[in-house]
Amino acid sequence: MATILYKYQFIQSDQSSLEYLVEIDEKTLNVVQDKEENLPKWTKLSYKKCGHCVLKESEVTHCPVAKNLHKLITRFENTKSIDICEIVIDVPERTYKKRTDIQSGLGSLFGLIMATSSCPSMNFLKPMARFHLPFASMEETIFRSMGSFLIRYYLLGDISKEQVSEDLKKKYMEVNDVNKHLIDRIDHLLKRKNSGDADQNAIVILDTLAVLLTMELSSNISSMQSLFPGEEFPKE
């Protein structure tokens, strides 16, 4: 099985380092994980299940997103969101480096894993995960999301501005729901003594992006028009 490897390294001020590897199946774009036993209760599909989830508990025992995130959450559960560190990210094509707070790096890492976890609500993000862009700005996220979705519709042979906009808005509303339920799932972990807040805040960042992108879709992506100077766009 051919795989794609993404490596995150968080180098703290005392030069100690936290590393996390994400391996993705090149064909399915699903994250590769070793078979695990005794997964925590909060990863079960029935535990605070998303209202729109189409997975059946008789067929899937654990939430794909929660199952794939629990090791990462455990690894970083004692870190503080505002702690500054140097984050180095190796992707197949290049290396990214940025000195910033831990929650910003975790936000990118969470997004990568969630998009490749076989969650039906997240599968549309797989193409973006394949060409992972850490620390993406709001404008970059909107551009990449729209571009990815339009390529899909082009390959399907059906491009309708209204349909693309409504479908993408619906998808990100589901992403927002997954984010909220994931925060509910790990809330008890964060309330433990000496627990950090970086995990939760990273998810909040992702949720904020999803909400803002949904709002932008409702305004017909008007902010994107400035990227095409000289074009006369039809008035709504």
Side-chain angles (χ1 to χ4, degrees):
M1 175 180 65
T3 61
I4 306 166
L5 191 64
Y6 303 83
K7 178 183 176 182
Y8 270 72
Q9 187 176 16
F10 296 77
I11 305 172
Q12 302 181 65
S13 56
D14 60 0
Q15 296 305 304
S16 61
S17 176
L18 284 172
E19 293 186 1
Y20 202 88
L21 298 178
V22 180
E23 188 177 11
I24 295 174
D25 186 308
E26 189 173 43
K27 183 177 181 180
T28 65
L29 296 182
N30 290 330
V31 66
V32 177
Q33 281 204 338
D34 296 331
K35 290 185 177 180
E36 299 180 60
E37 298 180 355
N38 302 318
L39 287 165
K41 176 183 176 181
W42 66 268
T43 65
K44 288 186 176 182
L45 183 63
S46 58
Y47 184 81
K48 299 188 177 181
K49 183 179 179 181
C50 296
H52 70 272
C53 183
V54 298
L55 298 177
K56 298 180 180 179
E57 294 167 29
S58 60
E59 300 174 357
V60 180
T61 58
H62 293 79
C63 166
V65 171
K67 180 178 69 173
N68 285 318
L69 282 178
H70 95 273
K71 277 189 175 180
L72 175 61
I73 289 173
T74 300
R75 179 82 61 87
F76 286 86
E77 65 179 343
N78 293 320
T79 58
K80 302 297 183 182
S81 61
I82 61 174
D83 286 351
I84 302 298
C85 64
E86 184 172 90
I87 304 173
V88 181
I89 305 166
D90 293 315
V91 304
E93 295 78 16
R94 61 190 61 86
T95 296
Y96 296 91
K97 182 187 292 186
K98 185 175 183 179
R99 184 169 180 77
T100 185
D101 50 72
I102 286 180
Q103 65 183 356
S104 296
L106 280 179
S108 291
L109 183 50
F110 268 68
L112 174 63
I113 295 175
M114 293 171 74
T116 56
S117 288
S118 302
C119 169
S121 295
M122 296 286 183
N123 282 339
F124 79 101
L125 296 170
K126 282 184 177 181
M128 292 174 64
R130 168 58 186 90
F131 300 104
H132 183 48
L133 181 62
F135 314 116
S137 67
M138 185 63 200
E139 187 176 45
E140 288 171 328
T141 301
I142 293 173
F143 191 85
R144 280 162 45 81
S145 296
M146 286 298 298
S148 176
F149 227 56
L150 286 171
I151 290 172
R152 173 179 177 271
Y153 272 91
Y154 176 80
L155 294 174
L156 290 172
D158 178 22
I159 296 181
S160 164
K161 182 179 179 181
E162 291 75 17
Q163 184 178 355
V164 171
S165 182
E166 286 303 313
D167 284 358
L168 191 54
K169 183 163 60 176
K170 179 181 177 182
K171 288 292 186 183
Y172 271 98
M173 287 176 69
E174 291 184 7
V175 169
N176 175 253
D177 195 36
V178 173
N179 289 336
K180 291 183 181 302
H181 280 80
L182 183 58
I183 291 175
D184 287 342
R185 283 177 179 271
I186 67 173
D187 185 62
H188 69 285
L189 298 175
L190 303 171
K191 290 179 178 177
R192 294 191 310 195
K193 186 177 180 180
N194 297 324
S195 177
D197 62 351
D199 290 320
Q200 186 177 39
N201 285 347
I203 300 172
V204 170
I205 289 173
L206 289 176
D207 188 50
T208 301
L209 283 173
V211 170
L212 291 176
L213 197 144
T214 302
M215 292 172 61
E216 178 64 18
L217 288 169
S218 298
S219 65
N220 297 311
I221 323 294
S222 57
S223 66
M224 292 290 100
Q225 294 181 3
S226 62
L227 298 177
F228 302 90
E231 296 288 350
E232 294 186 9
F233 296 98
K235 296 181 179 180
E236 300 295 335

